[in-house]
Amino acid sequence: MLNSLRKWLLLYVLAIVAPASVLLYSYYQRSASVLEEELSRSALQTLAQAGINLSYRIRHIEDASNALLMNPNLAEYLEQAGEDPSEGRLLDNVKDLRSLVEQTQANTDVYRVRFFVDGKKVIASERVNFFPIEQLQSDPWYPKIVEGNGKIVWSGLYEETFIDNGAALLFTNARIIRDPKRYDTIYGILMLDVAERTFSEILTPLELPGDSKLYLADGDGRIVWHRDRTLVGTAGSPAADGLTKSGETYSISTRVEGTDWRLVAEIPASAIAKRALEQGRTSSFVTILGISALFLALMFLLLALMIRSMNRRLQLVISTIRKEGVERIDEATASGGDFVLLERSVDRLIYRVKSLMEQTYRAEVQRREAELKALQAQINPHFLYNTLDTINWIAIGRNATDISQMIDGLAKYFRLSLNKGRDLTSVADELQLAEVYLDLQKTRFPSSFEYEIELAEEAAKYYIPKLTLQPIVENALLHGIRKSKAKSGVIRIRARKEGDALTLEVEDDGIGMDEERARRLLVEPTRESKPDEGGSSYGLYNVNERIKLFAGPDYGLSIRSRPNEGTTVTVRLKAISENLWDSTRN
C-alpha cells in the first residue's frame, strides 16, 4: 500500500504539479501585456464616463440658454429697455429683464448671464449683465458666433474681469439674437458664463496612471482646458476617437456632445506596464499558492477516500464472489494478495456474465419472433371464409368454368401467403399477393373497383414481413370503396425505395375518414366491422405493431385521409435483404 501511495504522489507531481507550474509561469509572462491592455481599456471607460458627465452638464447649461432665448417677452423687454429714459416704462422693462437674468443665474451651473446689445441703447451702459455689442465685435471669437447662425458656440477657458466680482476663470457659450421684426438683422449676443470649477470638478478627480495628461481640445486641436493652465491655448496631439497607441504613448479620446470638443488622455505605456506588472506579480503569486494548496488538499482527500473505498469494496466483492461459487481458488493465488485474487475472480465473473448475456439475447430474439408470429396469426381470417363461400355459390348457381379461375387464384394466394413457412417475403411477391387478392375480390364484387400497382425496380429485391399489404388493401376495399355511395372506385398500390427505407402506399378514393379516427386506428385495436365483412382497424393496428417489432420504433404506418376524399396508408420500414435478416436471427 505504501508503494502504491508513493506511485500516486509521483504521478501527481509529474501529471499535475509540473504542468501547472509551467502554465502558471507562462501566465505570469503574458499577464503583463494582457493587464496592460485591460488597464488601457479601463482608462478608456473612465474617460468615456467623464465625457458623458461633461456632456450632461453642458446640455443642462444649454437648456438654460434655450429657455432664456425662447422667452416670448425677451425681445420686447430688450426693445423697450433701450428707449429714452423719459419714457415711463423704461424702469419696468429693466426690472423685467433683471428678473429673467436672475432666474437663469439661479441655475448653479450658470455663473453669469450677459447680453451684448446696440451701444446706443440705454441699458448697454449697465456693464454688469448688459454690454455694448461694439465691445465684442473686435474679439476674434465674434465671427464664430455669427457663423453659428443662432447655434450655441463654446469658448475655451479664459479669464474675465467684472466690475462687481473681479477676475474669474470661465467657459462661455454664446449665440446671436435676431430682431424678430427684421430676422436678417442681429439684435444682440446672448452669453452664459460657466465657472471653470463646474467642469474641473468632473475632470480633476479622474485617476490616470503615472504622468498622464488630461485635457479638452476644440475642433482645431487647441487645448481649451488643461490641469496646467499655462498649456491652455496651445496645440494638442491629434487623436482619433477611442484608444490608439503612438510610440510609447496611449492616446484615448472621446467626443463631448453639444460642442466640438474632445476629451483627451495621453498615458505613457511605461506607466501602464509598471502598474500591470505589479498587479500581475501579485495575482500570479496568489494564484500559484491557491492552486497548489487546492491540489494538495484535493490529492490527500481523494487518496484517503480511494483507499477507504477500495478496501471496503475489495472485501465486499471477494466475499460476494466466493458465495457465488468462485471459492475454489488455489491457496497459492491467495498468497499473491487481495488484488490477484480479485483479478482471477473477476475474470471468471466476466466469462459467466458474458454467457448469461448471450443466453438472454437468444431468449429475446425467440420472444420477438414469437410476438411476430402471434400478431401475424391475428390477421383477419374472414377473407378465406368469404372466398370459399363465393366459390361455392358460383359452382351452385352458374355451373361455369369460373370456378377453376377462383380455385387457381386461391391456390396462388395460399402459396404466396404461406411463403414456405418463412416470415419474410420479397416486395415483389407481396405485391403479387395483393394482386391475387384483388383479382379474387373482383370476382366477388364484379365491376365495382379497379386497381393499379406500381413497383420500382430497385425496391423489388428487398424483404418485408409477409402479409403486410393484404390487411391494408382489404381495408381500402371493404371500408373505403364498398362503404362509399357509389360502391366503386380505384385502388392504387405503389412501392419504392427512399434512402435506407422502403415506402409502400395503398391509396383509395373511397369514403375517407376524419383525422381523429385515422389516429385511433394505429393506437387502438378497435373493431368496427361485422364478422362476415372482413377487414377492420384491428388489421391496421397489427400491421403497425408488427413493423415496429421488425424494424424499430422509427418505422410503421401513417394514415392520410379526409372525409369523402379517400385514404392513403403509407408503410415505412427498413430496407433489408433476406441474408441480413437471417444473420441477425443466428
Side-chain angles (χ1 to χ4, degrees), residues 51-333:
I52 293 172
N53 296 338
L54 199 60
S55 299
Y56 172 81
R57 190 67 61 87
I58 287 174
R59 285 195 302 271
H60 185 59
I61 298 168
E62 290 179 347
D63 289 343
S65 176
N66 293 332
L68 183 57
L69 184 66
M70 297 301 294
N71 190 296
N73 299 320
L74 178 63
E76 179 183 352
Y77 291 162
L78 289 175
E79 177 67 29
Q80 295 178 0
E83 294 176 355
D84 189 85
S86 60
E87 295 290 335
R89 291 178 298 176
L90 175 60
L91 293 178
D92 292 336
N93 288 322
V94 171
K95 184 179 180 180
D96 292 333
L97 274 174
R98 287 194 178 281
S99 177
L100 286 177
V101 169
E102 289 173 0
Q103 290 177 11
T104 305
Q105 290 182 165
N107 188 326
T108 56
D109 291 335
V110 177
Y111 180 80
R112 179 163 299 203
V113 177
R114 287 188 284 171
F115 287 94
F116 289 80
V117 296
D118 187 356
K120 297 178 181 179
K121 293 182 179 292
V122 175
I123 200 173
S125 60
E126 189 255 2
R127 302 296 179 127
V128 175
N129 295 107
F130 301 91
F131 303 84
I133 196 171
E134 291 80 3
Q135 176 182 331
L136 185 63
Q137 289 174 345
S138 60
D139 194 304
W141 188 31
Y142 181 79
K144 288 188 177 181
I145 300 174
V146 176
E147 290 173 5
N149 197 25
K151 294 181 180 179
I152 293 176
V153 180
W154 281 88
S155 74
L157 183 65
Y158 68 100
E159 187 178 38
E160 182 68 46
T161 302
F162 297 95
I163 60 175
D164 58 334
N165 281 344
L169 289 174
L170 303 173
F171 291 93
T172 300
N173 70 65
R175 66 200 312 174
I176 61 174
I177 305 173
R178 295 188 178 277
D179 189 340
K181 298 178 182 178
R182 292 172 297 174
Y183 193 74
D184 56 341
T185 302
I186 297 176
Y187 201 67
I189 303 294
L190 168 62
M191 287 188 178
L192 265 66
D193 299 323
V194 181
E196 185 269 351
R197 66 176 181 278
T198 302
F199 293 163
S200 63
E201 67 183 14
I202 297 175
L203 302 177
T204 302
L206 295 182
E207 294 183 2
L208 298 173
D211 299 324
S212 302
K213 298 178 181 178
L214 179 69
Y215 58 88
L216 284 169
D218 62 13
D220 297 328
R222 290 194 306 272
I223 296 176
V224 298
W225 179 90
H226 197 288
R227 291 174 176 174
D228 184 359
R229 303 287 183 262
T230 61
L231 297 178
V232 175
T234 62
S237 63
D241 289 347
L243 174 64
T244 58
K245 186 176 182 181
S246 176
E248 295 299 319
T249 302
Y250 284 96
S251 294
I252 304 173
S253 176
T254 183
R255 294 282 179 183
V256 179
E257 294 180 5
T259 68
D260 62 345
W261 296 347
R262 286 181 298 108
L263 181 57
V264 182
E266 295 178 0
I267 307 174
S270 58
I272 294 182
K274 180 179 179 182
R275 189 173 176 183
L277 285 174
E278 292 175 354
Q279 294 186 5
R281 188 180 298 111
T282 302
S283 62
S284 298
F285 181 75
V286 173
T287 302
I288 291 174
L289 288 180
I291 292 178
S292 299
L294 180 62
F295 278 172
L296 287 173
L298 182 62
M299 180 195 69
F300 285 112
L301 178 61
L302 288 177
L303 284 177
L305 292 175
M306 287 173 58
I307 293 172
R308 182 180 179 183
S309 177
M310 286 175 62
N311 285 333
R312 185 189 306 115
R313 293 178 61 186
L314 190 61
Q315 295 298 329
L316 179 61
V317 169
I318 292 175
S319 175
T320 304
I321 292 175
R322 284 178 174 173
K323 289 180 181 179
E324 293 296 326
V326 197
E327 64 276 8
R328 291 182 297 176
I329 298 177
D330 297 335
E331 294 297 330
T333 304

Side-chain angles (χ1 to χ4, degrees), residues 1-14 299 303 306-307 310:
M1 190 63 66
L2 291 176
N3 291 333
S4 299
L5 183 59
R6 294 191 188 97
K7 291 180 180 178
W8 278 102
L9 288 173
L10 180 60
L11 180 63
Y12 174 80
V13 172
L14 294 177
M299 180 195 69
L303 284 177
M306 287 173 58
I307 293 172
M310 286 175 62

